């Protein structure tokens, strides 16, 4: 199969050298059983790639089992992956097969592999090396014949260095590594792919696409696309459906680039055109309403995530002083500075935040910058707390302040109640 046919068949668009390289590599490895590690940011096409590799392989008639290791709670991941025997733990009323057994003869796609707990990593290593595993609660070794594709958006080698990922598992996964380029790394693909998406959605929603302005084109290229192709596709769909855009100008486009500016909630979205025949509740009306609800829900969700990110960034970054920033490695420093700029955080304004003067202490003593943080003091040391610890701290503070009233706590935190519930659950604070 040649590259263009492959791209058409699996919907992996682009003509940049970077994507061509990836596609050639996919076509090379798919006929083999070799383990593949896909690395790349969210939305660059890791799922699509895994599906394509399976579909092109000799194993295509058997299962492709997709496991999001980051989404399975730590307590049950082992039994999800390897299955369990009846009575292995409270509630295990039946024996159950795990994903590795389901994938026998086929492919298993371990997404977000960097999120696997260490005690499970050692079991993954064993099954990857010789196909052997134990069901939870069983001492009988079982075997499975699977092809493994793993993916991560984290830097696994960094995780090996900081001790959170096993080195032996890293090398086992590293046989063929594929870096899926972000859109920023292949800017020449942005406009053609966007154009294709808009055309497809226009056809689907019965609209006619008439192109975009030069300014809009420039913005498409210069925007950072933190959500990569997933975001590009969403923006194209929203423009077609919500804006009824036929010609895309820069002002309309701007509204939907959420990583760029943080305004606009679903409430500000224009209504989809009301039906003109007012009371005729045709099937079409309902479809349209359903679609609108789904869109609003999606935009809300994205705003929630944006809010949360901003809240944490504001808190953490406001505890940094110029000196702290200067001490960071250059690459991180640039990233942090950019984030801070994006979020309009002015260091000079915030660098003394958290410095508390003692009662009666009138002399303006200079407090060493490293001691100037209420948050760090709370966590009892010089170490910068993790974002998760910080989040838990904030959530507890807010709940305490409002006597456990979740609505008020979530309002104060600037997140939705739904997000708060999810967090409480995640951290076992419920
Ligand atoms: N090269 C590409 N061309 C066209 N669409 C793509 C491409 N890569 C990804 N997509 C689309 O972008 C979205 C996100 O892709 P996905 O594989 O889920 O990304 P990831 O798993 O890396 O987060 C999907 O809708 C997918 O169809
Ligand atoms: Mg994915």
């Amino acid at each position: 199969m040649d590259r263009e046919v492959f791209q058409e068949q699996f919907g992996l668009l682009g003509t940049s050298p970077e994507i061509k390289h990836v596609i050639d590599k996919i076509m090379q490895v798919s006929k083999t059983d070799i383990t593949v590690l896909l690395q790349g940011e969210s939305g660059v096409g890791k799922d699509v790639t895994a599906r394509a590799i399976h579909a092109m392989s000799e194993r295509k008639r058997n299962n492709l089992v997709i496991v999001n290791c980051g989404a399975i709670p730590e307590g049950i991941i082992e039994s999800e992956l390897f299955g369990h025997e009846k009575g292995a733990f409270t509630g295990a009323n039946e024996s159950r097969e795990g994903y590795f057994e389901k994938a026998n003869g086929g492919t298993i796609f371990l997404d977000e592999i960097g999120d696997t707990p260490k005690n499970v990593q050692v079991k993954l290593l064993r099954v990857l090396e010789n196909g052997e595993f134990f069901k939870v609660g069983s001492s009988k070794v079982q075997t499975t014949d699977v092809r493994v594709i793993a993916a991560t958006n984290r830097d696994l080698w960094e995780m090996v260095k900081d001790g959170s990922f096993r080195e032996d598992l890293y090398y086992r996964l590293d046989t063929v590594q594929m870096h899926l380029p972000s859109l920023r790394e292949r800017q020449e693909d942005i406009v053609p792919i966007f154009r294709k998406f808009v055309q497809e959605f226009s056809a689907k929603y019965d609209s006619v696409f008439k192109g975009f302005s030069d300014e809009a084109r420039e913005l498409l290229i210069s925007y950072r696309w933190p959500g990569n192709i997933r975001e590009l596709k969403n923006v194209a769909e929203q423009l077609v459906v919500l804006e009824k855009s036929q010609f895309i100008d820069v002002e309309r486009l701007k509204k939907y680039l959420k990583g760029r500016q943080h305004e606009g909630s679903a409430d500000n979205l224009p209504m989809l055109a009301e039906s003109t025949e007012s009371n005729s509740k045709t099937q079409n009306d309902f479809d349209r309403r359903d679609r609108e609800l789904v869109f609003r829900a999606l935009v809300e969700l994205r705003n929630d995530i944006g809010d949360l990110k901003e809240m944490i960034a504001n808190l953490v970054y406001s505890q940094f002083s110029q000196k702290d920033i200067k001490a960071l490695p250059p690459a991180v420093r640039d990233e942090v500075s950019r984030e801070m700029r994006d979020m309009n955080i002015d260091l000079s304004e915030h660098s003394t935040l958290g410095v508390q003067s003692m009662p009666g202490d009138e002399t303006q003593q200079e407090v060493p910058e490293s001691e100037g943080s209420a948050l760090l003091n709370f966590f009892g040391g010089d170490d910068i707390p993790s974002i998760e610890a910080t989040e838990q701290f904030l959530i507890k503070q807010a709940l305490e302040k409002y006597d456990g009233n979740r609505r008020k706590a979530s309002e104060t935190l600037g997140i939705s109640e739904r997000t708060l519930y999810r967090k409480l659950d995640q951290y076992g604070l419920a």
Side-chain angles (χ1 to χ4, degrees), residues 208-334:
V208 182
F209 173 50
K210 296 184 182 143
F212 29 72
S213 71
D214 289 347
E215 258 184 305
R217 177 197 308 271
E218 270 159 36
L219 179 57
L220 280 174
I221 297 171
S222 62
Y223 177 59
R224 289 184 69 231
W225 296 110
N228 291 295
I229 303 206
R230 180 176 292 115
E231 186 182 8
L232 189 73
K233 200 168 180 174
N234 281 345
V235 169
E237 188 167 17
Q238 294 191 41
L239 282 165
V240 172
V241 177
L242 294 179
E243 293 286 337
K244 299 205 147 294
S245 281
Q246 298 190 324
F247 184 79
I248 293 169
D249 59 42
V250 74
E251 285 314 315
R252 287 187 193 190
L253 177 59
K254 269 184 190 167
K255 276 206 282 192
Y256 294 96
L257 304 185
K258 285 294 168 354
R260 180 178 167 277
Q261 49 189 14
H262 201 73
E263 56 196 36
S265 79
D267 294 339
N268 298 335
L269 293 176
M271 294 299 286
L272 294 181
E274 296 285 330
S275 168
T276 38
E277 307 109 312
S278 39
N279 283 321
S280 67
K281 299 267 180 287
T282 62
Q283 180 62 38
N284 216 0
D285 285 338
F286 284 111
D287 286 351
R288 200 182 301 147
R289 258 168 221 136
D290 286 350
R291 220 155 60 210
E292 181 161 327
L293 280 177
V294 171
F295 266 99
R296 278 168 197 278
L298 281 174
V299 174
E300 284 286 3
L301 194 65
R302 194 179 44 196
N303 286 344
D304 284 354
I305 293 169
D307 290 344
L308 197 64
K309 189 174 152 207
E310 187 162 5
M311 176 185 93
I312 295 167
N314 265 314
L315 185 99
V316 174
Y317 292 158
S318 67
Q319 304 298 326
F320 284 177
S321 65
Q322 291 279 12
K323 204 168 131 197
D324 294 329
I325 304 276
K326 281 200 193 108
L328 293 168
V332 182
R333 188 175 57 217
D334 293 344

Side-chain angles (χ1 to χ4, degrees), residues 43 46-47 109 111-112 230:
K46 298 186 292 296
D47 273 73
F109 174 40
D111 201 0
E112 307 296 354
R230 180 176 292 115

